[in-house]
Amino acid sequence: MLSTMSMIHQPPRSISHFPSSKSTTAFLLKNLSSSSSSQPVTDQSESTPPSSQILTARHSLISRHLSAVQLAESFLSRLRRAEPHLRSFLHVSPDEDVLRQARRLDEILQRNEDVGPLAGVIVAVKDNICTSDMPSTAGSRVLEGYRPPFDATAVRRIREMGGIVVGKTNLDEFGMGSTTESSAFQVTANPWDVSRVPGGSSGGSAAAVSARQCMVSLGSDTGGSVRQPASFCGVVGLKPTYGRVSRFGLMAYASSLDVIGCFSSSVFDAGILLQAISGHDTSDATSSKQVVPDFTSQFTSISLSESKPLKGLKVGLISETLEDGVDTGVASTIRAAASHLEELGCSVSEVSLPSFSLGLPAYYILASSESSSNLSRYDGVRYGNQAPADELNALYGDSRAKGFGHEVKMRILMGTYALSAGYYDAYYKRAQQVRTIVRKGFKAALDVYDILISPAAPSAAYRIGEKKNDPLAMYAGDIMTVNVNLAGLPALVLPCGFVEGGSAGLPVGLQMIGAAFDESQVQYQEDL
Amino acid sequence: MASTIFRSLQTRPFCFYPKALFRRKNGILYCTMQNTQAQTATQEKPITKTTTPELKKAPANYKTIDEKILKDYEAIIGIETHVQLSTQTKAFCSCAYSYGAPPNSGICPVCMGLPGALPVLNSKVIEFAIKVGLALNCKLFLNSKFDRKQYFYPDLPKGYQISQFDVPIASGGYIDIDLPVEFGGGHRRFGITRVHMEEDAGKLIHSESGSYSEVDLNRAGVPLLEIVSEPDMRTGIEAAEYAAELQRLVRYLGVSNGNMQEGSLRCDVNVSIRPVGQSKFGTKVEIKNVNSFSSVSRAIDFEISRQALLYSQGQADEIVQETRQWEEGAQKTVEMRKKEGLADYRYFPEPDLPGVTLTQEYVDNIRSSLPELPEMKRRRYENMGLSMQDVLFLAHDMDVAEFFDATIANGAEVKLTANWIMSDIAAYLKNEKLTISEVKLTPQELSELIASIKGGTISGKIGKQILFELLEKGGTVKGIIKENNLVQIADPVEIEKMVDKVLSENPKQLEQYCGGKTKLQGFFTGQVMKLSKGKANPGLLNKILLEKLNANS
């Protein structure tokens, strides 16, 4: 437990919990083996990976080594210290609100009553996910100051299980962007190098976990918005299967692609958080009725006696993702991770997905089309900012002209064009056909392989401003992730190494793609 | 909340409790609504009575149009009907809708289109749509879907309407109607192009000064069926009957109250004309704001005349594709807006809702639970030997038909039952402004009453007395007869005594009768009836009276 305390009291940017230039899988393995002996014996210690902040916190609370108030205070103080450098939050809950929730938990603990599985867990939530007690702006002026009358289902479940939401994180406006620079309010910095972007669109959520401003966070992933920032910020990012998590309360960008995802510092924590937010929701007709398995029970505890714990697992390395246009440092890091997986017993071979390059244009057509429709409701009539106007068209025009940023307007225009009479067949319909091809391509590959791996992004974090005036280059950065959204598959990104850059190198994420509703498969390998 | 301000600007701070905000305005807004209600509260009259005379009110211009001109043209009429479904909750959320409720009192994040809110389909909407599709003899699509129809308007909270575009739930059906006897009668079959599901929009309430408008979203998200007819109708009466039959159909099916004045059934009429013999269609004009069946009929007849006059004067090019509004007061259509090109609604599949997949078994279950529909009922009544006048009267109101069926099921004679319902009962209902289900008379007692008259227990005259008592107070025929000692006197001896008494008390009249004034027979009959308190058997009375009179003379 002492180690937990010292971890919590680390300075804000001491993110050296990943040893530089070593593959993280290797690190996690080492970490597990070394700490398993020092693990204090508690009632839940049998399968507790010490890398899990959630379980560690839970042990501290239940064993009364730490109160929920102390835990919350330590996070709050680190959050506030790091915030001026990072600017990951658009809104931070007042201390008294957070501490009140923590005190309530302490009272329950005092009475020796059961607490939820997320008791005392400090959670940050992307600002396009509705919270009834905090503003929810989606990073847009059009919703400046907007406070929803309800919690998103994912947020409600987190709260019901004892989690404490500390604030709302920065994002590209309505999730449209890959750097978080499209936020109408502020630019978030990458904790590894503050001159660089954290990725996007869930940049604030990724940076906050990376800098331990919170234990875990929620993001949303429409074309890679959880996985790419996870890669840039060196944290675990999980994009669940489409429909696994209710979208109710997630401000829609592209409804058929959007999914709420998790950020954490360990795969185990991502598993716990996913467990909490998964499942059918009567408020979301597209949420799946598939049974939610117990993700965490499927993690295999690594034992030293078994040298090849992943024996028999078939891994396909998508060859197209290591070709031209991919940073050589990234490619070699991924190959190194692949050979590490082989060391662990996997059989790794390269697999070609010819449809891979088709996904990007199809994605941008579909996502823009849906967003042009989804964003119609921001008209200034019922909520949000209303521009003063003399007549109706001016009211609409001015409210939207002033409310939306450049990137959002561009996508609304593209989407409106793609859906227009006479263009529908050439764009939207064709993109849907491509989507089917992409889905079939993945299906065929996943019939052969248990998981597919690729980089999460073609490069490590960009410098702030580097891609701002080159939208096509920024869009191209989504090549690794968009196909997964088109196919609706689950994917996990975890840090697997570093490339040159910044003061301590820049993290690189490995993306592992599983079959639909096979999150447990994806996770179980990666906890190792 | 929910407030669009056009000219006088009044930006409201964000507030999340629309009810609170509207409370202070309720008075005014509610009044406005009631006015509208009053204005259109004369809907349900049979068209037959109002149409012909009111047509004469058409402006002088068109009144004088030569019947000969009209004969040269053929009108092509198609109707789009929106039927509001009477589900307990809205189409995509759990708000209830009640007509006339205070503005924005039945709304939630979903029907307000708040960020992050998602639609979830009310399965009753599907059930009701299938019922209507089957009743209209349509082919059902077992795999349909929802689409978004996109346009901006303040009463449309999401900026798109959830509707069905290329795959409606039902298509390719027809509806059978019988034209009223006053209009020459006749059977017609009109094609149904399609039936699709969609959601209603809210309502704008314009301020009296016209300087601002307010939005009431109570109606937003209420389920609608849009029923599109083939352009098969040729006259205003046919179109009105088509709409009336749709109303009967949805009422029989129990899927809508079909009230036009509440906007539960709304018709948009498309009219074009062409010279008889020409196969190419003329330019189509859409007419809105027809809020009753009679205005459907009158608006169309007006529009046909207007177009025919333009044609006959060589001004056919002045008939343009446009939307015209029916003005009830002036009895004419006026230009509302020109259609400049086709609106691009940028339809695409609604990604928030899964496709609608039906199993054949589900459809078959609904099919087997369908009630007897108006057309089937009319054919059945016709086969019973009733006249078309009777058939239409009885089948047009579901409750009346049910009452009729229940009465004859008790063994009452068909024609007699029809007569009682159509004459005395109908007159009573009209006077008292009641419906047949609101009176205390039961079908059981009506059949008893008819049987009692037929069997001679009571006279027809007494029967009427009893009927009114049953209508007002209820009770049983037997009870009333017993209580008031109303049993018919059929004993010749007793009647003879009364006849003798009347004759002896009226020697003067008897003398006149004997002198040849035989008309006085009626007088004596009346006197005897009076003496018997209406209970004397009329046949027997007349027989005995005649015998006595003839014996005297």
Side-chain angles (χ1 to χ4, degrees):
Chain A
M1 267 320 111
L2 277 174
S3 63
T4 314
M5 294 295 288
S6 66
M7 211 162 71
I8 288 170
H9 290 124
Q10 276 166 355
R13 293 207 50 242
S14 71
I15 25 205
S16 52
H17 50 286
F18 295 114
S20 58
S21 73
K22 284 280 179 190
S23 111
T24 308
T25 37
F27 161 71
L28 285 173
L29 187 67
K30 264 196 292 183
N31 189 17
L32 257 166
S33 54
S34 63
S35 59
S36 55
S37 52
S38 62
Q39 179 76 17
V41 181
T42 67
D43 53 348
Q44 290 194 15
S45 67
E46 55 282 355
S47 65
T48 304
S51 54
S52 165
Q53 285 193 64
I54 295 179
L55 286 189
T56 312
R58 187 177 179 80
H59 288 208
S60 314
L61 292 177
I62 289 174
S63 60
R64 310 277 163 74
H65 278 83
L66 210 57
S67 72
V69 168
Q70 284 172 302
L71 193 65
E73 275 173 340
S74 71
F75 270 95
L76 276 176
S77 72
R78 193 165 49 236
L79 186 158
R80 292 195 188 285
R81 265 180 289 149
E83 197 46 24
H85 310 285
L86 297 181
R87 319 238 290 154
S88 10
F89 284 83
L90 288 176
H91 175 86
V92 179
S93 232
D95 285 9
E96 59 268 27
D97 286 0
V98 173
L99 295 178
R100 191 180 341 105
Q101 294 174 62
R103 260 195 301 278
R104 207 176 305 138
L105 274 173
D106 283 333
E107 285 161 18
I108 297 172
L109 287 162
Q110 283 297 326
R111 296 196 296 267
N112 283 319
E113 288 170 20
D114 279 349
V115 285
L118 295 181
V121 173
I122 304 298
V123 187
V125 174
K126 190 177 180 180
D127 203 36
N128 61 351
I129 301 174
C130 290
T131 45
S132 56
D133 56 346
M134 294 173 214
S136 304
T137 68
S140 180
R141 290 260 174 241
V142 85
L143 285 178
E144 195 168 3
Y146 172 73
R147 197 179 279 260
F150 58 89
D151 273 339
T153 302
V155 171
R156 178 174 53 79
R157 287 186 176 164
I158 286 173
R159 292 195 209 260
E160 282 167 4
M161 293 185 188
I164 299 173
V165 178
V166 281
K168 304 301 291 290
T169 57
N170 196 22
L171 69 159
D172 288 299
E173 187 175 1
F174 287 106
M176 298 178 186
S178 311
T179 61
T180 313
E181 291 165 288
S182 298
S183 165
F185 304 109
Q186 64 198 39
V187 174
T188 297
N190 189 318
W192 293 84
D193 177 353
V194 289
S195 70
R196 291 177 190 266
V197 298
S201 65
S202 313
S205 286
V209 167
S210 177
R212 305 217 160 191
Q213 291 179 300
C214 57
M215 282 190 216
V216 291
S217 64
L218 292 183
S220 66
D221 193 315
T222 306
S225 287
V226 163
R227 289 160 290 155
Q228 184 253 25
S231 175
F232 280 16
C233 292
V235 296
V236 174
L238 174 63
K239 175 223 175 279
T241 310
Y242 181 80
R244 174 65 90 192
V245 179
S246 168
R247 290 187 293 119
F248 186 78
L250 168 65
M251 297 177 185
Y253 160 18
S255 313
S256 72
L257 302 163
D258 290 343
V259 57
I260 290 180
C262 313
F263 289 98
S264 61
S265 53
S266 71
V267 177
F268 202 95
D269 284 354
I272 296 174
L273 186 58
L274 176 65
Q275 189 87 53
I277 62 176
S278 289
H280 179 65
D281 178 12
T282 51
S283 302
D284 175 5
T286 61
S287 72
S288 166
K289 288 185 175 151
Q290 286 257 357
V291 174
V292 180
D294 184 353
F295 299 120
T296 49
S297 74
Q298 310 210 11
F299 293 115
T300 24
S301 177
I302 198 151
S303 70
L304 292 169
S305 58
E306 207 182 335
S307 58
K308 292 189 184 295
L310 293 179
K311 197 166 168 39
L313 193 82
K314 281 189 274 180
V315 177
L317 175 57
I318 304 171
S319 51
E320 284 80 1
T321 63
L322 296 176
E323 288 170 358
D324 290 350
V326 179
D327 195 286
T328 48
V330 169
S332 58
T333 311
I334 297 300
R335 288 193 191 282
S339 47
H340 185 74
L341 284 172
E342 276 185 320
E343 282 168 32
L344 290 170
C346 302
S347 66
V348 182
S349 48
E350 286 205 10
V351 54
S352 173
L353 276 181
S355 58
F356 202 83
S357 61
L358 300 174
L360 196 64
Y363 165 81
Y364 271 97
I365 285 169
L366 294 175
S368 301
S369 297
E370 290 188 25
S371 69
S372 73
S373 174
N374 283 329
L375 270 57
S376 297
R377 65 184 62 194
Y378 304 106
D379 54 9
V381 174
R382 297 166 310 287
Y383 47 79
N385 281 329
Q386 186 186 71
D390 288 337
E391 45 87 35
L392 185 60
N393 280 336
L395 176 97
Y396 282 145
D398 294 353
S399 297
R400 288 168 69 82
K402 287 176 187 159
F404 290 140
H406 180 72
E407 183 65 34
V408 170
K409 285 177 193 161
M410 196 154 69
R411 295 198 194 190
I412 290 176
L413 285 174
M414 288 197 296
T416 305
Y417 182 82
L419 289 176
S420 295
Y423 297 95
Y424 181 87
D425 286 356
Y427 293 105
Y428 184 85
K429 207 170 166 190
R430 216 155 140 230
Q432 285 288 25
Q433 288 160 350
V434 170
R435 186 174 186 171
T436 306
I437 293 171
V438 168
R439 192 178 286 145
K440 283 181 179 158
F442 270 116
K443 174 87 173 57
L446 285 164
D447 283 345
V448 178
Y449 298 94
D450 294 310
I451 57 162
L452 302 173
I453 59 172
S454 78
S459 71
Y462 326 123
R463 291 193 181 283
I464 290 171
E466 189 180 331
K467 305 266 175 175
K468 217 178 169 188
N469 299 315
D470 190 356
L472 283 181
M474 197 174 72
Y475 295 174
D478 298 335
I479 181 101
M480 300 298 173
T481 46
V482 292
N483 285 287
V484 178
N485 294 81
L486 290 175
L489 300 175
L492 182 90
V493 164
L494 82 166
C496 68
F498 291 81
V499 293
E500 293 284 310
S503 53
L506 295 170
V508 171
L510 172 73
Q511 175 174 235
M512 342 231 3
I513 303 160
F517 297 103
D518 212 3
E519 285 89 352
S520 51
Q521 177 82 342
V522 171
Q523 286 180 23
Y524 126 88
Q525 296 121 22
E526 281 326 302
D527 191 45
L528 298 163
Chain B
M1 182 62 35
S3 167
T4 319
I5 289 99
F6 297 136
R7 237 146 295 165
S8 81
L9 265 272
Q10 197 185 343
T11 307
R12 291 233 166 81
F14 182 75
C15 155
F16 231 91
Y17 296 94
K19 278 182 207 171
L21 195 115
F22 262 97
R23 203 163 290 142
R24 57 200 157 101
K25 296 191 169 165
N26 282 355
I28 305 163
L29 294 170
Y30 197 66
C31 282
T32 323
M33 288 184 164
Q34 284 195 326
N35 284 343
T36 342
Q37 234 175 327
Q39 219 179 354
T40 53
T42 49
Q43 307 295 317
E44 308 268 300
K45 277 188 242 158
I47 313 130
T48 53
K49 284 171 194 158
T50 49
T51 312
T52 331
E54 284 182 28
L55 252 184
K56 287 178 188 155
K57 284 191 218 155
N61 241 3
Y62 300 105
K63 190 175 76 179
T64 53
I65 183 162
D66 198 330
E67 283 293 319
K68 272 187 202 157
I69 295 179
L70 281 175
K71 279 210 179 74
D72 295 339
Y73 300 95
E74 178 187 37
I76 310 292
I77 302 157
I79 301 186
E80 275 175 31
T81 312
H82 287 92
V83 177
Q84 219 173 51
L85 298 180
S86 52
T87 48
Q88 290 192 339
T89 56
K90 293 184 182 179
F92 302 111
C93 63
S94 51
C95 291
Y97 171 66
S98 85
Y99 177 79
N104 296 318
S105 59
I107 57 174
C108 74
V110 176
C111 53
M112 279 184 77
L114 293 192
L118 294 169
V120 176
L121 179 65
N122 176 350
S123 60
K124 274 279 169 195
V125 176
I126 303 273
E127 185 190 321
F128 285 9
I130 294 173
K131 280 186 174 173
V132 171
L134 290 173
L136 290 172
N137 310 292
C138 290
K139 174 185 179 294
L140 294 185
F141 286 90
L142 294 182
N143 290 295
S144 69
K145 64 183 171 78
F146 285 98
D147 299 278
R148 291 184 182 178
K149 177 181 180 177
Q150 310 191 61
Y151 62 94
F152 282 102
Y153 204 61
D155 66 5
L156 190 69
K158 299 187 292 296
Y160 55 83
Q161 178 192 31
I162 302 178
S163 181
Q164 293 194 291
F165 179 50
D166 49 347
V167 194
I169 190 153
S171 73
Y174 60 85
I175 190 168
D176 289 309
I177 66 153
D178 287 288
L179 288 178
V181 182
E182 307 82 53
F183 291 90
H187 185 264
R188 298 278 189 281
R189 174 169 289 186
F190 301 129
I192 300 291
T193 313
R194 58 184 276 158
V195 178
H196 75 247
M197 304 175 279
E198 60 184 29
E199 58 175 341
D200 212 340
K203 266 184 200 166
L204 286 195
I205 302 164
H206 302 290
S207 67
E208 268 178 43
S209 63
S211 61
Y212 66 93
S213 297
E214 289 168 304
V215 188
D216 173 8
L217 293 178
N218 280 346
R219 206 178 64 179
V222 170
L224 296 178
L225 288 186
E226 182 175 318
I227 302 168
V228 182
S229 82
E230 289 290 309
D232 287 350
M233 288 149 263
R234 296 290 173 266
T235 65
I237 284 300
E238 286 185 354
E241 274 306 307
Y242 165 84
E245 181 70 6
L246 273 188
Q247 183 189 58
R248 281 190 284 279
L249 199 74
V250 297
R251 286 180 175 174
Y252 267 63
L253 291 169
V255 301
S256 171
N257 67 27
N259 280 341
M260 286 186 97
Q261 67 269 35
E262 289 180 10
S264 306
L265 191 136
R266 309 195 279 270
C267 295
D268 295 337
V269 183
N270 287 301
V271 182
S272 70
I273 66 166
R274 62 184 174 192
V276 171
Q278 180 185 307
S279 59
K280 193 175 156 260
F281 289 120
T283 307
K284 188 171 74 176
V285 171
E286 186 182 9
I287 312 172
K288 283 194 184 284
N289 196 35
V290 278
N291 295 324
S292 67
F293 299 136
S294 68
S295 55
V296 167
S297 166
R298 281 175 284 126
I300 289 171
D301 288 342
F302 174 89
E303 188 58 26
I304 293 172
S305 299
R306 187 185 73 88
Q307 293 183 19
L309 198 66
L310 288 170
Y311 249 111
S312 67
Q313 292 169 350
Q315 296 171 304
D317 54 344
E318 283 188 24
I319 305 168
V320 291
Q321 196 170 345
E322 62 178 344
T323 301
R324 297 178 71 85
Q325 175 159 317
W326 172 245
E327 287 194 346
E328 193 69 43
Q331 292 287 302
K332 62 175 184 175
T333 63
V334 295
E335 183 191 322
M336 203 170 146
R337 56 171 180 262
K338 294 255 189 297
K339 290 205 170 165
E340 286 165 3
L342 215 58
D344 186 356
Y345 291 118
R346 305 192 310 282
Y347 281 101
F348 79 104
E350 165 58 281
D352 286 333
L353 292 167
V356 179
T357 307
L358 311 173
T359 63
Q360 193 57 50
E361 191 193 357
Y362 178 69
V363 173
D364 292 342
N365 277 342
I366 292 178
R367 192 192 301 272
S368 61
S369 73
L370 287 182
E372 186 184 36
L373 298 169
E375 169 66 7
M376 293 141 87
K377 220 174 252 298
R378 287 193 298 263
R379 298 287 78 86
R380 181 161 64 82
Y381 289 171
E382 207 178 13
N383 290 336
M384 287 176 174
L386 291 170
S387 71
M388 187 45 71
Q389 189 95 35
D390 294 357
V391 168
L392 295 183
F393 184 93
L394 294 171
H396 276 184
D397 184 314
M398 190 174 56
D399 294 333
V400 171
E402 203 175 291
F403 195 94
F404 172 73
D405 285 338
T407 309
I408 57 172
N410 279 316
E413 194 191 297
V414 170
K415 183 64 192 167
L416 287 177
T417 309
N419 288 346
W420 277 99
I421 292 176
M422 290 175 63
S423 54
D424 295 295
I425 297 177
Y428 176 82
L429 296 178
K430 202 181 167 193
N431 282 339
E432 304 292 316
K433 293 193 173 71
L434 291 172
T435 66
I436 200 155
S437 42
E438 286 166 335
V439 295
K440 298 212 166 108
L441 173 71
T442 63
Q444 170 74 39
E445 291 312 311
L446 180 59
S447 64
E448 182 72 36
L449 184 68
I450 293 168
S452 301
I453 297 167
K454 211 182 166 202
T457 316
I458 53 171
S459 65
K461 203 177 165 198
I462 296 288
K464 278 195 187 190
Q465 280 176 34
I466 295 177
L467 177 76
F468 288 114
E469 188 156 347
L470 288 172
L471 284 166
E472 263 166 42
K473 298 177 194 150
T476 63
V477 176
K478 283 191 176 122
I480 296 170
I481 291 174
K482 203 177 165 194
E483 214 171 286
N484 302 305
N485 191 24
L486 296 174
V487 179
Q488 199 169 45
I489 302 165
D491 178 357
V493 180
E494 209 172 320
I495 292 176
E496 198 178 343
K497 273 185 200 161
M498 286 189 280
V499 171
D500 287 342
K501 189 165 185 256
V502 167
L503 292 181
S504 65
E505 280 172 5
N506 297 285
K508 208 173 143 194
Q509 283 83 353
L510 183 60
E511 200 175 306
Q512 288 176 334
Y513 181 90
C514 296
K517 207 169 177 186
T518 49
K519 269 188 195 164
L520 279 169
Q521 189 200 333
F523 165 77
F524 293 115
T525 309
Q527 290 302 308
V528 179
M529 265 304 176
K530 203 171 160 191
L531 191 65
S532 75
K533 290 177 186 140
K535 293 188 287 181
N537 179 309
L540 209 52
L541 163 63
N542 274 334
K543 188 173 159 249
I544 294 171
L545 180 66
L546 262 183
E547 279 169 14
K548 293 267 172 189
L549 286 172
N550 293 341
N552 273 312
S553 54

